[in-house]
Amino acid sequence: MTTALRETAPSVRDVSVFGDAIAYFNEAADLLELDGGMRRILTHPSRQIIFSIPFQRDSGEFEVYTGYRVQYNFARGPAKGGIRYHPGVTLDEVTALAFWMTWKCAVVDLPFGGGKGGVTCDPATLSSNELERITRRYAAELVEVVGPDKDVPAPDVNTTPQVMAWFMDTYSMHVRQNMPGVVTGKPLEIGGSRGRVEATGRGVTICALDEMAEMGLRPEEATIAIQGFGNVGRYAAKLFKDRGCKVVGISDVTGAYYNEQGINVYGAMEHTSKFGTLEGFKGGDRITNTELLTSPCDVLVPAALEKVFTAEIASKVQAKLLVEGANGPTTPEADRIFREKGIVVIPDIMANAGGVTVSYFEWAQDRMGYFWKEAEVNEKLEDFLLSNLRAIRAIANSRHATLRTAAYTLAIDRVVKASLLRGIYA
Ligand code: GLU
C-alpha cells in the first residue's frame, strides 16, 4: 500500500518542499542580517516524529500507514498546526509545513510556535470507520507530546471537525480528563469556535480586499479565479461573491470551470455538498487546471497544494494580485517571475493565517470555558489580520522588498526576539 501511495505522488513534489521554504527564509534573514548561529537554529526542526499506524480495514485485513508530527519551533509558545491526510504526505512536506506554521503564527502575533502532522493515505478510499481507527491510533501515538501547552493540532487538507473530535476524544480518554484545548477546528458542540470553519477563506478575502483597495481595484469591478474548492477555496469564493466581486473561475481535483459572466458560487457549493466534488458542474466552461491558473482575472487564489506555480505557469499568469490560500503554492523561480512581472503576491503565511488565528481564539475560549459570538470572532480576526498585513506593507515599502520577504522579516524578527529573551539552553 505504501509503495502504491508513493507512486501516486506527482514527481514535482519530489523536489524538496522544505528546500524551497528555506530559500524564502534566507532572503529575509539576509535583510535582517541574521547571524549564522541563529540561522542554523531556525532552519532545523526541533522535533520530527515518524511512526507506523497499523489499522484494520472494514474487510478485516490489516494495513500499516505512516504518521508524522513535526514540532518545528517552540520559542513563542506551544507548537501549532494542522494534520494532513493525503497520498503525497512525506517527512519533507510535513517539515516544510511546520516551518511555515512557525512564521505564520509569528506574523499574526499568536502565542504559538509551529508544527504540522500528516498521514500518508488517501481518504477517498477509506470508510468513516477506517478514518476513525486511523485517527485514534494517530492521536494515541502522540499522547505524550501533544496537549494545550505542548502542541495543538488542527484540520488541514482532508481532515475535518469530525477528525478533530476523534482526536480530542482519544487524547481525553488517555489523560482521563476532558481536554478540548488539545486540538482546534472541533465541532461547535464540543468546544469548537464559531467562525472557525470559514476562517481561512475569510482571511483570504480580508487580505485580498485590503490589498485591492491599496491597488485601486474596486470589488464590484474585480474578477477572481480560485484553484481548489475545499475548506479554503469554497468560503473564499462565497465571501468574494458576497462582497460584490465576480468569481470567474473555480476548480477542484476533478476539473476546472470558467465563466466570464461569473460562476454561480452558491450553486457550486450546493453541487459539491450533493455530489462530493465539482464533477458534472454545469455553471461554466470546462478548462484545464493550467488554463484556470493562467486565465484572465484580476485576483488569483491558489487554494490547493504546494508547488502549483512553476516558472512556466508563472510566466503565463495574467492576474494582478495573487493571494496564497494554500501553503507553499509558489516555487522560488515562479516568485521571481511574479516580481519581474509586477504581480503583487500576498504570501501564504499572511494570506491563509485566518484559520490559525481563529484556532487561537478557539484554544483561548476552551481554556476559559466561555464562548464568543460569531461577530466577535470575525471582528477580532479582521483586526489581527489587517494590523499585521499593514505592518508588512510598511516594511515592504521601507525596505523595497516584496510582501513575502517583508512577512518573513516581521515573523523571523519576532521569533528571534523570543529565542534571545529565553536564551539558548545548551
Ligand atoms: N491547517 C491550517 C494552516 O495551514 C490551520 C492550522 C491551525 O489552525 O492550527 O494554517
Side-chain angles (χ1 to χ4, degrees):
M1 193 59 181
T2 318
T3 321
L5 286 171
R6 284 217 184 97
E7 280 163 10
T8 63
S11 58
V12 68
R13 293 163 68 89
D14 295 343
V15 181
S16 172
V17 188
F18 186 43
D20 278 2
I22 298 270
Y24 289 135
F25 170 90
N26 279 334
E27 252 179 72
D30 289 346
L31 203 65
L32 282 166
E33 295 175 16
L34 199 65
D35 71 72
M38 191 51 82
R39 264 181 216 239
R40 249 186 318 277
I41 291 171
L42 296 179
T43 49
H44 283 80
S46 277
R47 191 184 279 159
Q48 295 171 299
I49 307 156
I50 310 179
F51 47 96
S52 292
I53 304 179
F55 76 101
Q56 195 164 24
R57 282 273 191 183
D58 293 342
S59 63
E61 204 183 320
F62 290 107
E63 292 230 29
V64 183
Y65 285 172
T66 304
Y68 304 90
R69 185 76 190 165
V70 175
Q71 298 172 328
Y72 197 89
N73 188 283
F74 295 98
R76 291 171 47 87
K80 183 85 194 81
I83 304 168
R84 176 172 293 199
Y85 288 178
H86 192 273
V89 165
T90 59
L91 180 64
D92 172 64
E93 183 193 47
V94 178
T95 305
L97 291 163
F99 175 82
W100 281 318
M101 285 308 304
T102 305
W103 314 118
K104 193 187 300 184
C105 291
V107 95
V108 279
D109 215 1
L110 310 181
F112 290 130
K116 202 77 165 203
V119 178
T120 317
C121 68
D122 183 359
T125 65
L126 296 163
S127 73
S128 172
N129 283 331
E130 289 168 343
L131 267 181
E132 178 173 350
R133 287 195 283 277
I134 292 166
T135 302
R136 288 191 183 278
R137 182 64 187 245
Y138 179 85
E141 289 290 337
L142 293 174
V143 166
E144 282 86 9
V145 292
V146 295
D149 291 308
K150 295 180 180 177
D151 180 4
V152 186
D156 195 76
V157 175
N158 291 329
T159 50
T160 57
Q162 176 62 74
V163 170
M164 298 306 114
W166 291 325
F167 190 109
M168 179 277 233
D169 182 70
T170 308
Y171 181 82
S172 297
M173 295 300 284
H174 277 266
V175 300
R176 300 253 167 244
Q177 54 180 314
N178 197 46
M179 290 294 258
V182 67
V183 281
T184 57
K186 299 178 295 297
L188 279 183
E189 293 80 355
I190 53 169
S193 173
R194 291 188 179 84
R196 175 64 185 85
V197 173
E198 307 84 10
T200 314
R202 184 176 293 279
V204 164
T205 5
I206 291 171
C207 292
L209 289 164
D210 196 64
E211 195 58 38
M212 282 157 65
E214 198 62 19
M215 296 165 72
L217 192 61
R218 288 152 47 95
E220 318 80 61
E221 287 160 8
T223 53
I224 323 276
I226 302 176
Q227 186 218 20
F229 210 66
N231 188 254
V232 184
R234 67 168 53 223
Y235 293 111
K238 176 182 177 290
L239 292 159
F240 274 121
K241 165 105 187 156
D242 291 350
R243 291 296 295 265
C245 304
K246 196 196 282 178
V247 178
V248 290
I250 55 170
S251 77
D252 72 2
V253 277
T254 65
Y257 300 85
Y258 191 84
N259 186 341
E260 222 180 32
Q261 308 305 317
I263 299 261
N264 174 357
V265 173
Y266 283 88
M269 289 176 85
E270 255 166 59
H271 186 97
T272 51
S273 314
K274 208 153 140 200
F275 303 108
T277 66
L278 285 171
E279 185 73 66
F281 178 63
K282 295 278 180 283
D285 297 330
R286 180 84 191 235
I287 54 169
T288 64
N289 184 47
T290 308
E291 282 166 341
L292 177 92
L293 298 170
T294 56
S295 65
C297 62
D298 298 310
V299 182
L300 180 60
V301 180
L305 296 170
E306 306 90 73
K307 288 185 176 285
V308 165
F309 294 109
T310 55
E312 200 195 329
I313 294 182
S315 62
K316 297 190 195 125
V317 166
Q318 301 189 52
K320 302 181 183 83
L321 172 64
L322 196 90
V323 188
E324 295 184 337
N327 291 310
T330 306
T331 58
E333 304 78 58
D335 204 47
R336 226 163 288 136
I337 294 170
F338 291 146
R339 201 175 309 182
E340 281 159 20
K341 289 175 69 166
I343 298 173
V344 179
V345 180
I346 306 185
D348 46 7
I349 57 171
M350 178 71 238
N352 70 41
V356 72
T357 302
V358 178
S359 275
Y360 163 53
F361 299 159
E362 178 174 334
W363 176 81
Q365 291 170 82
D366 286 338
R367 308 192 92 185
M368 280 189 290
Y370 174 71
F371 292 86
W372 313 339
K373 292 199 167 65
E374 186 165 350
E376 190 174 349
V377 171
N378 290 344
E379 193 186 315
K380 287 189 162 78
L381 171 63
E382 184 149 337
D383 180 39
F384 268 72
L385 295 184
L386 289 185
S387 55
N388 289 296
L389 175 60
R390 287 167 189 168
I392 290 171
R393 206 178 277 135
I395 297 173
N397 289 340
S398 68
R399 309 292 299 256
H400 306 290
T402 59
L403 290 174
R404 190 188 309 279
T405 303
Y408 274 90
T409 304
L410 180 64
I412 295 170
D413 192 44
R414 286 176 174 161
V415 173
V416 167
K417 283 195 175 121
S419 309
L420 292 176
L421 283 165
R422 293 175 71 140
I424 305 302
Y425 188 15

